[in-house]
Amino acid sequence: MQTDLKKTPQPPIKKLEAKLLPGEIVVNEVSFVRKCIGADSSHGDLWGKLICTNFKVSFITHDALPKQRFQVANRLLGEHDVPLACVEQVVTVNDAKGKQKVLCSNQKLKFNPTELILYCKDFRIIRFRFDEAGPQSAKKVCLAIAHYSQPADPQLLFGFEYIGKQYYGSLGEQVNGVDPGGGLQMPLFDRPSEWDREIKRTGAAEWRVCSINEGYVVSPSLPEYFVVPVSLADQDLKQYLCFFTAHRIPLWCWNHPNGSALVRMASISDPLQQRKLDQRICSAITKSHPQRSDVLKSDLDKNLPNIQDIQAAFVKVRQICVIEPFEESEEKWLSSMESSRWLEYVRAFLKHSAEVVYLLEGKHVSVILQEEEDRDLSCVVSSLVQLMLDPHFRSLTGFQSLVQKEWVMAGHRFLHRCNHLKKNDKEESPLFQLFLDCVWQIINQYPAAFEFTETYLTVLSDSMWIPVFSTFLFNCPQQRTENSMDFAKSKCIPMGEEKALRFPPVWDWSQQFTPKDQALFNNPMYVGKGATCVQNGTVKSFRRTKKNYSSTLRGMPSSLRNILMDGHDSLTLSRRNSLVPRLKPDFSQIREVVESPTERFFRDWVSRPADLQGMLIPQLLPSHLALWRLYFLRWVPEASIPKGGPVTAYHKLSQLADEVEKLQSQLRQYKGATPASTTTSTPSAPQSDHSRMYFKAGSTHESSSTPEYLSSSFPFSPVGNMCRRSILGTPLSKFLNGAKIWLSTETLANEAL
């Protein structure tokens, strides 16, 4: 019997569509895809559409995640998006046929995949199931992801399409008046005036800006403008450059207030000219020193691990932290971490940098950092030395200018070292991640000396895989100019007066995060130049004087200043409040050990309270160095501590700092001061909120108790980002055992059908 049923109106079903950026297009998509959330069951998995664009892998769903959690929202990426540049390996699986295959660009796939696993460069492992999806559509999406994640040419990186559409109109004018990076309040060191300001800031009176490489006519890997001794004429430099590897003549990095200079240079390629050029370069640097002090050279290639060793150590750490299940590796965790040698290499770079600090600060001599091409190890060491000696570089703006100066403009090969084109694994090496780990080690020991947090360092590392920023896309500024000019011509984009397309730098964080999320970069414990405090009811500021800057020389024997450090000196630091002094009477042989000048210098420094606005030297005993948990373990569910970890202290300190700011504001008003005239803003501070802190005091939304969503992984979440379920009954750790990177690049099963 048929009856007429009155149909109730149903709300319209929202279509699953990806949010696209300017220049972004959908390449392929497949519906009825399941994103795996749980490790051992399908409970809590999400259903939706998997989309591959020319920028990212995007999973669109109406479902909510099964657990309440928190994650920083990136304005360029959705909650389930993965940039193609972040995809390291694409693995397809067919359960019925027992086959697995690592997909490369332009490869064929002989089976219909039932599962897709994405291994990401930021340590995520993301899995999708195609049980209900169309087999051909699933295959096409997998092949598209493999193809577009391995571009054959730099101009195929998404950043070119994005910049062309986002910032340039059909007539070459800037769209809506937008100038990429134009409102940035920090130097990019792409013009002489910014180098001049740095020379004046450091008091390097005997150094000048050189423009012989304008238009990159002298060396393609050098910046157009750099700093050289006043006594070296342009004509002399042009004569010398042909004898240096890749024409990379010596570059000035920084000047100590005592007149010592830090310089970096490539090796001299002509052995017959070695002694002559060394004398001329050292003579010019000596003349730039007020006391005409000596110049010492540090050969980084001989004293530090090479890029292949660093890459091998990084791969081993990833294997230990991410691939191997904790229940299998727990017993051998410490020994496995030690055998990876990652922390050993971190210590080696910190130790060598500290020894250079001793020469500049303790001996008042200038130092030349020499490396074969001056584009890898020297970037790490020169940056760490300046970070230890100059508190300016421990502020957020200062640190960003340091990276821009010593990495981007100095020609670090980000394109090759990040392996954006996936062409040569031998060129890949995580030198920038190693540097950030070294910075974290210093922050971990002196947390109040830095304006920024470990969240900032982690987000900065993640930004390497978002290919729209000039900072991490190219091997040198000249490569950016050349490729963007070629791209503009091929797309008929008139450049007008500009030399090349202007890519935005990563330092404009408003491109990625809201002002509130940027507040996570701010350290509530920071005691920097101009940081406010209250004494006897009066608002004052901490100020650094030139005397305090070199306070580590107090009480130092004069003989120490005149003794050269021999090549066998090693940096040995004793722990503060150590029991060693009390045990010395029991070990008479210790009295016989002759203390080297280096050891005496650092012992003298360690014996006094650290000056957070002076020189900072990290302590380097094995017990002082730790694994950077937030970077390496943030996606691992077993390592996540609910309502625990360093973030709980950060939460309390942020609320306390926010309350102090509010009280200071009330005190100013009480004293009759104008808040606008006394409040100093920083680039990292939210513009719409007076407070610089993410967690507020006395807020209706914030309580004094630890929020439920906080964990040791905050502000990241393992949920849906780490799926290591066994494949075909075999533990994934065994399946990947011995893999060079993630998996073998060969077919993992016999595909002969």
Side-chain angles (χ1 to χ4, degrees), residues 155 159-160 163-165 167-175 178-180 479-504:
Q155 294 180 34
F160 285 89
I163 299 306
K165 291 290 196 309
Y167 296 111
Y168 294 91
S170 58
L171 299 178
E173 76 279 2
Q174 292 175 349
V175 179
V178 175
D179 182 8
Q479 187 186 48
R480 175 188 63 82
T481 301
E482 181 181 6
N483 278 275
S484 62
M485 287 178 66
D486 292 343
F487 180 80
K489 290 179 182 178
S490 66
K491 298 294 183 179
C492 299
I493 302 176
M495 298 305 301
E497 297 180 356
E498 294 189 6
K499 296 180 181 179
L501 294 177
R502 295 187 60 187
F503 285 73

Side-chain angles (χ1 to χ4, degrees), residues 509-525:
W509 291 106
S510 63
Q511 298 173 99
Q512 295 192 65
F513 303 106
T514 64
K516 177 173 174 57
D517 285 346
Q518 290 179 60
L520 286 168
F521 299 166
N522 298 325
N523 179 11
M525 292 183 287

Side-chain angles (χ1 to χ4, degrees), residues 296 351-359 362-363 556 559-561 563-574 594-606 615 617 620:
L296 297 183
K351 174 180 178 292
H352 195 86
S353 302
E355 290 173 345
V356 174
V357 166
Y358 159 71
L359 295 174
K363 297 192 62 58
M556 189 169 297
S559 58
L560 178 60
R561 308 185 187 194
I563 299 176
L564 290 176
M565 181 183 73
D566 65 63
H568 302 288
D569 277 348
S570 61
L571 177 62
T572 305
L573 297 173
S574 59
V594 178
E595 190 177 42
S596 71
T598 316
E599 293 169 341
R600 193 185 318 160
F601 174 82
F602 291 113
R603 177 181 55 79
D604 181 71
W605 185 84
V606 171
M615 182 180 73
I617 301 295
L620 299 177

Side-chain angles (χ1 to χ4, degrees), residues 674-692:
T674 304
S677 63
T678 56
T679 302
T680 57
S681 61
T682 64
S684 56
Q687 300 301 313
S688 60
D689 194 337
H690 173 70
S691 173
R692 298 175 61 250

Side-chain angles (χ1 to χ4, degrees), residues 98-101 746-752:
K99 294 183 178 294
Q100 309 93 25
K101 183 179 177 66
E746 304 295 331
T747 305
L748 299 179
N750 181 18
E751 291 191 25

Side-chain angles (χ1 to χ4, degrees), residues 299-350:
D299 192 332
L300 302 184
D301 291 317
K302 292 181 180 178
N303 297 320
L304 292 170
N306 59 43
I307 63 171
Q308 289 81 18
D309 293 337
I310 295 169
Q311 171 68 4
F314 190 71
V315 170
K316 290 178 183 177
V317 171
R318 178 167 55 193
Q319 179 81 13
I320 297 165
C321 294
V322 179
I323 300 298
E324 295 180 357
F326 269 47
E327 62 270 15
E328 295 183 13
S329 62
E330 183 178 2
E331 295 180 358
K332 55 182 181 179
W333 170 266
L334 294 178
S335 60
S336 298
M337 189 60 62
E338 183 180 6
S339 65
S340 74
R341 305 190 72 180
W342 176 258
L343 286 177
E344 176 187 333
Y345 294 158
V346 168
R347 180 183 182 274
F349 277 89
L350 287 169

Side-chain angles (χ1 to χ4, degrees), residues 81-97:
D81 291 352
V82 180
L84 289 168
C86 189
V87 175
E88 183 153 22
Q89 286 190 333
V90 181
V91 179
T92 52
V93 179
N94 184 289
D95 295 333
K97 295 183 179 181

